Amino acid sequence: MALDKVVPQNGPEEYEGREKYTHVGTRVDRPDGLDKVTGRAKFGADAHAPGMLHGAIVRSPHAHAKILKIDTSKAEALAGVKAVVTRADFAAGLEGEDWNILENVMASDTALYDGHALAAIAATSSLIARDAVKLVEVEYELLPHVTDVDEAMKPDAPVIRAGQQSKLVPEGMHPNVVNYYEGGHGDMVAGFAEADLVIERHFTTEAAHQGYIEPHAALATLGNDGTGELWCCTQGHFIVQKTCAALVGIDTSQLRVTASEIGGGFGGKTTVFLEPVALALSRKANRPVKMVMSRSEVLRATGPTSSASMDIKIGMTKDGRITAGKGVFRLQGGAFPDAPAGMAAECSFAPYNLNAVSIEGYEVMANRPKQAAYRAPGSPMAAFAVESVVDELCQTLGLDPIETRLKNASREGTKAAYGPTWDRIGLVECLEAAQAHPHMQAPLRESEGRGVAAGFWFNHGGETSVSLALSEDGTAQISVGTPDIGGSRASMALMAAEILGIEYKNIRVTVADTATLGYNDVSHGSRVTYASGLATINAAKDAVGKLCDRAAQRWGIDPEAVIWEDGCAKPAGPNAGQFDPMPLKEITKRMGRTGGPISGHFEATPEGAGVSFGVHIVDAHVDRETGKTSVDRYTVIQDAGKAVHPTYVEGQFQGGAAQGIGWALNEEYVYGEDGRLQNTVFLDYRIPVASDLPMIDTVIVEVPNPGHPFGVRGVGETGICPPLAAIANAVSGAVGVRMTSLPMSPPKILKALKEQ
Amino acid sequence: MKIHQPASFADASAIAAGASGITRYLAGGTDVLVQLRSDLVTPDDLIDVKKIEGVSDITKNQDGSWTIGVAVTGAEMTEHAELCQDWPGLVEAMDLIGSTQVQGRATLVGNLCNGSPAADSVPGQVAAGVSVTVIGPKGERTIKVEDMPTGPGRTVLEKGDIVTAVNVPARGDNAGDAYLRFIPRTEMDIAVVGCGVNLRLDGDTITEARVSLGAVAPTVLLVQEAADAIIGTTLGDEALDALAKAAEAACNPIDDKRGTIEFRVEVAGVLAKRAAKIAYARAKGEAV
Amino acid sequence: MSKIHVTTKVNGDEVEFLCDPRETVLDVLRDHLNLTGAKEGCGTGDCGACSVTVDGRLVCSCLMLGAEAEGKEIATVEGIADGEELHPLQKKFIEYAALQCGICTPGILVAAKNLLEREPDPTEEQVRYWLAGNLCRCTGYDKIIRAVMDTAAEMREAS
């Protein structure tokens, strides 16, 4: 939908309950804005250190091969080369996930995928390092490989690594099947028997990459004394600290990690790839080492999401009641366990109140890079499959897709397929907002269809530590341990401003390094506004308690008799005494003489994260002669609980939708017969460009989360869950073909049209 | 890698003729630098042609034909109003390559000499009847663009040869050209199929036509049968169907990460029809 | 490999540097001139994060060799603001939250500024196609396009 006239989205505040808040819910300027529009902001690759070397990695060109010999002598002889590392330079005896991560960071005896790292070189310039990489001679013994999830489960599939299978996996399955999940409730046989129509479909989705524009980058300094400094772009510098320390064999506390500004992560920067290597090289060379990935390294050897093969069976009565739902989800996670099959299964039927539901997930290994989280891991694929079948049922029975979802919607008290009973949730409100939205009334042109789909993400709590310090001039500084990936610094400041009663602009939020705070879980799971926000609020309240104490002291009354309101200490009631309100600045001005600096702290692992449902509406046109799909109009409706900064919430909705559109239409990992990745650059890994997308309209629904003081729910992830099915449903509406394999690229749609 | 910046084509040719390793010419660099950065090709000698006189000129000659310098960028072509008016198909074929940023550097000659079967400007050049002037150890000669590509990544040019100018015919009256390509997104993709059509009318009847297809064979094709299908017609439905069939028959594509054989053949026919209609409208002087 | 000595102008200042023949203008800006505003997102001219203008022409600095910069005038994101006075585009981007992570922002600002200098009244479609070579993974482009078009309107009004 082209704009005739630009309508700025910075409209008047219209959110429910807005009157309650002074700061929360306002559209303030982000604190990192000035740095980012002037080019001053420092991202991962923007750091330099005196005497710095540049690192480069030697990578396997084979999908599966024994590494017989690595000869680095010619590389070491090149002028300018200062250090070489292989697996031997990392810690031995690691177990569990630490071992998995190390094996992925630097191969031991087997190259497990095309691009797998097996050695690294540090040299005085990046050109010399890259030239040196070409001089490393590796002897391989090629092994048979497998990249497809279903192929990897077959009896004759090459074994990726024996002995990884958990006891939960059903008897007789191939060793590549490493984990199994099951859940559900009710009588499936009776459920399907009740249905007037049962549809069973098979779906496949291909792996997609998070596609952050900033490649991984790190600058490391590690001494032989075991003390180190690391600068890197990451979603979680505390986990980087913990993991790197383990992998290079030093104490966690001796490594200080600073998070740079991050150029996108979406889950892909919640683990380590380059960082331990840079540290190991630095230790060997006794100089700082900088490493930056090229785009093809990012695509080949970081953590895309899983590819999936799914079977869905849903039964519905002719008046639109879902009587039973069954989903089986097979996901490959690369040559390692932990593909998000369980989460896919758990999210799949979340929007539905079902008496009979059965969900199963299989985690499979294949010769591909170790998967990493990508925005609601597992949920988008599952939503694609289930929401497509629900749509097909509605189409076949002549039922309205939104009305039918309302009829079966999960509400407070509904038992989810994966066990818990929903608390207060906002799915119904989202569906109703979709129904009422003008988008639903807009006329459609020839070969254009409208698709609707729902989506869900759990959202996460996670370990969180926040510190707040007041300055004598009455301003505040807050240290958080969660890198800012979506504007959270502004949101923290807004929440603190609300509690402290001072201006937003008088609060500076910094993402502190690992030496400054207790452990913080990664910025993932849409947890930051919720958990760091809750911690910030509590740290502010802690500080407010101390401010009240100081006022009480000054007034000579009981601290219980002092309240905090509008940024001032006030007597709690007329019995407390007649005192003028004491503003924060008054108190901090004297704090050195009245007991010392005033700070607030909060450390916890909050449990009350609220889930977020979303509903998307999309109009798509299909060119019948070429199969090309254009997305003409898009609306995102999602429950945010309480939008602390509405513009950033909109931004998360739009960003998630855009990634979903790319995944639905054009993004995929293409492996050749030889198991090598064929599309290693942005030319052929096709993310949406500006001309591919329309404006993305947003509606923020606010059904407060009881687990947060302001009702906040995470919003970052749900946005990517509905688009895959919404677009498939629109394509079906447009030209009558049901696409069950992603991406819905033009050759596939044209083929389906011809077979119609 | 040694960078040379010769002041004349003769010097450039001599350097290339005498070089012992991998040699590349540098105009816009939008292929050379990509290949350098991905470690596909590291030239031993890189010969920058941009210091040679006249390489950035777009000249309309007395007879209405055009001479385009080898360092003229796509952006400069698009900004040249008269060239756009005469040869909109040629210009749009060049204009479709890459982004605005790539257009700021990319050249017709670079696109041609890189030898990709999917090069966007080449079907536009072939349809328009463009030729290039080449000098080298064998002296000076003119080569028709359709005779340049010999296979993926290869041209007829030999060691020491260098293109010195692009020659575009005079447009003449009652004529029009068009280029269309199929890509999965709206921008930024390599053509999955490309089609250039150039035709001249006498009244409503097509008297001359050239149809070129890209990305559907090891080299860009000039498809005589497709032209024959529409010459002598007024481009009615029957002629269009015959055109599509001839285009499909000429295809010899591969299955790759960008498209299947089946898809390319089908879409070649679709684009041939659509491009022909646009060229026809332009020949009639209609706004398109 | 011997280095090449280059004299050029960047954001109006004359600069000199030595570079390896294989280094690009992007490498030179970031590693020799301390101008890290331009970013490498892909190294192949597909993402536009390295966008600069050369003699007023929008290009990817990763697709130009440092040696080619001799005698040219290069403009980067660091030169857009006039001291502490931000360009209307920069102000609008902050106001509209037309950036999230900000990695694509320098390239987009350079590209958008170039567009508005050539075409003060672009349509939404023109803006989208002009910026097609600037990939953004965070915003879905919506707020970026609004910011550019609204800035264009404001600048037209002011002139």
Side-chain angles (χ1 to χ4, degrees), chain B residues 102-113:
Chain B
V102 165
Q103 284 292 304
R105 295 265 293 167
T107 65
L108 281 172
V109 174
N111 192 232
L112 174 62
C113 293

Side-chain angles (χ1 to χ4, degrees), chain A residues 352-527:
Chain A
Y352 302 102
N353 175 13
L354 303 174
N355 290 330
V357 59
S358 154
I359 47 177
E360 287 172 81
Y362 293 89
E363 273 177 39
V364 181
M365 298 204 294
N367 289 113
R368 293 199 192 206
K370 183 179 196 286
Q371 67 83 40
Y374 177 18
R375 214 164 194 158
S379 186
M381 310 75 149
F384 168 57
V386 170
E387 292 297 288
S388 291
V389 173
V390 169
D391 190 69
E392 197 181 348
L393 284 161
C394 291
Q395 266 178 340
T396 314
L397 293 170
L399 300 167
D400 178 86
I402 300 184
E403 199 50 57
T404 306
R405 285 181 173 83
L406 274 165
K407 199 168 198 145
N408 294 280
S410 291
R411 295 158 195 268
E412 189 169 354
T414 300
K415 186 169 160 69
Y418 63 98
T421 301
W422 297 124
D423 204 326
R424 180 114 199 270
I425 55 173
L427 174 60
V428 166
E429 286 81 350
C430 288
L431 287 165
E432 287 170 347
Q435 235 174 10
H437 198 280
H439 185 162
M440 293 304 292
Q441 310 311 322
L444 291 166
R445 57 183 166 123
E446 178 80 40
S447 298
E448 188 176 38
R450 180 161 297 145
V452 169
F456 162 85
W457 188 245
F458 317 90
N459 300 328
H460 189 48
E463 297 110 310
T464 314
S465 275
V466 169
S467 248
L468 183 154
L470 296 174
S471 306
E472 282 185 10
D473 63 358
T475 60
Q477 50 192 61
I478 304 177
S479 297
V480 297
T482 41
D484 185 347
I485 61 175
S488 52
R489 275 170 293 194
S491 302
M492 300 305 122
L494 285 170
M495 287 186 268
E498 202 70 48
I499 300 294
L500 295 172
I502 61 176
E503 289 305 309
Y504 165 79
K505 64 177 168 61
N506 292 137
I507 303 177
R508 179 173 178 171
V509 180
T510 308
V511 176
D513 65 34
T514 54
T516 314
L517 284 175
Y519 188 81
N520 275 271
D521 191 10
V522 178
S523 289
H524 69 170
S526 308
R527 76 179 209 91

Side-chain angles (χ1 to χ4, degrees), chain A residues 130 134 294 623 625-626 628 666 670 678-679 682-684 686-687 689 691-692 746-747 750-751 754, chain B residues 36-37 39 42 182-190 257-260 262-263 266-267 270 273-274:
Chain A
R130 276 164 49 200
K134 293 183 222 164
S294 69
D623 181 332
E625 290 186 312
T626 64
K628 183 163 177 172
N666 278 310
V670 180
Q678 304 223 313
N679 52 339
F682 274 143
L683 178 63
D684 287 304
R686 302 190 193 97
I687 76 174
V689 301
S691 42
D692 289 338
L750 192 61
K751 184 154 192 249
K754 302 208 84 81
Chain B
L36 177 65
R37 181 69 178 90
D39 287 327
T42 303
F182 181 85
I183 53 170
R185 292 181 291 182
T186 54
E187 270 289 0
M188 301 306 288
D189 289 327
I190 293 283
K257 58 183 177 276
R258 297 178 187 140
T260 58
E262 191 184 29
F263 181 75
E266 172 92 23
V267 174
V270 171
K273 289 199 277 190
R274 293 181 182 180

Side-chain angles (χ1 to χ4, degrees), chain A residues 90-448:
Chain A
F90 294 86
L94 296 179
E95 286 173 345
E97 187 57 8
D98 279 346
W99 185 90
N100 281 322
I101 295 176
L102 178 55
E103 184 70 10
N104 189 50
V105 162
M106 183 104 359
S108 52
D109 52 29
T110 312
L112 295 165
Y113 54 90
D114 168 38
H116 196 178
L118 42 95
I121 299 181
T124 50
S125 78
S126 57
L127 280 170
I128 294 175
R130 276 164 49 200
D131 288 340
V133 161
K134 293 183 222 164
L135 295 174
V136 174
E137 290 167 345
V138 185
E139 234 177 273
Y140 297 97
E141 180 194 310
L142 293 189
L143 298 168
H145 64 271
V146 62
T147 53
D148 176 78
V149 60
D150 288 328
E151 292 298 312
M153 294 172 75
K154 291 190 175 154
D156 56 351
V159 176
I160 304 299
R161 192 160 50 260
Q164 303 295 299
Q165 198 170 72
S166 99
K167 294 193 179 27
L168 299 169
V169 176
E171 183 111 12
M173 299 208 90
H174 192 285
N176 289 340
V177 183
V178 290
N179 214 343
Y180 174 73
Y181 169 90
E182 62 178 343
H185 55 256
D187 184 339
M188 298 301 291
V189 172
F192 283 121
E194 258 188 282
D196 292 313
L197 176 63
V198 175
I199 291 186
E200 233 181 308
R201 285 243 175 264
H202 172 67
F203 295 86
T204 59
T205 63
E206 194 29 87
H209 194 274
Q210 300 81 353
Y212 33 84
I213 305 301
E214 176 199 34
H216 298 258
L219 174 56
T221 307
L222 182 58
N224 261 320
D225 61 353
T227 315
E229 306 280 330
L230 179 65
W231 162 276
C232 60
C233 52
T234 176
Q235 292 173 241
H237 44 317
F238 287 85
I239 208 151
V240 169
Q241 179 198 30
K242 191 167 78 155
T243 309
C244 284
L247 267 51
V248 300
I250 62 174
D251 284 350
T252 301
S253 307
Q254 294 299 336
L255 178 62
R256 178 166 66 165
V257 184
T258 306
S260 70
E261 291 295 341
I262 180 172
F266 315 109
K269 289 182 179 159
T270 55
T271 180
V272 297
F273 301 101
L274 287 182
E275 298 80 353
V277 182
L279 284 162
L281 282 168
S282 174
R283 179 167 52 191
K284 215 153 186 201
N286 199 28
R287 286 166 71 164
V289 173
K290 177 172 174 176
M291 296 187 75
V292 182
M293 280 200 190
S294 69
R295 178 54 52 183
S296 65
E297 287 182 294
V298 172
L299 286 169
R300 282 167 85 205
T302 57
T305 189
S306 301
S307 53
S309 168
M310 306 172 279
D311 298 303
I312 308 295
K313 181 176 173 185
I314 304 180
M316 191 183 273
T317 62
K318 55 181 186 291
D319 64 344
R321 189 171 54 86
I322 300 177
T323 60
K326 177 174 158 72
V328 179
F329 305 90
R330 295 172 293 276
L331 274 63
Q332 64 75 26
F336 298 89
D338 283 342
M343 293 200 281
E346 293 183 346
C347 293
S348 55
F349 288 96
Y352 302 102
N353 175 13
L354 303 174
N355 290 330
V357 59
S358 154
I359 47 177
E360 287 172 81
Y362 293 89
E363 273 177 39
V364 181
M365 298 204 294
N367 289 113
R368 293 199 192 206
K370 183 179 196 286
Q371 67 83 40
Y374 177 18
R375 214 164 194 158
S379 186
M381 310 75 149
F384 168 57
V386 170
E387 292 297 288
S388 291
V389 173
V390 169
D391 190 69
E392 197 181 348
L393 284 161
C394 291
Q395 266 178 340
T396 314
L397 293 170
L399 300 167
D400 178 86
I402 300 184
E403 199 50 57
T404 306
R405 285 181 173 83
L406 274 165
K407 199 168 198 145
N408 294 280
S410 291
R411 295 158 195 268
E412 189 169 354
T414 300
K415 186 169 160 69
Y418 63 98
T421 301
W422 297 124
D423 204 326
R424 180 114 199 270
I425 55 173
L427 174 60
V428 166
E429 286 81 350
C430 288
L431 287 165
E432 287 170 347
Q435 235 174 10
H437 198 280
H439 185 162
M440 293 304 292
Q441 310 311 322
L444 291 166
R445 57 183 166 123
E446 178 80 40
S447 298
E448 188 176 38

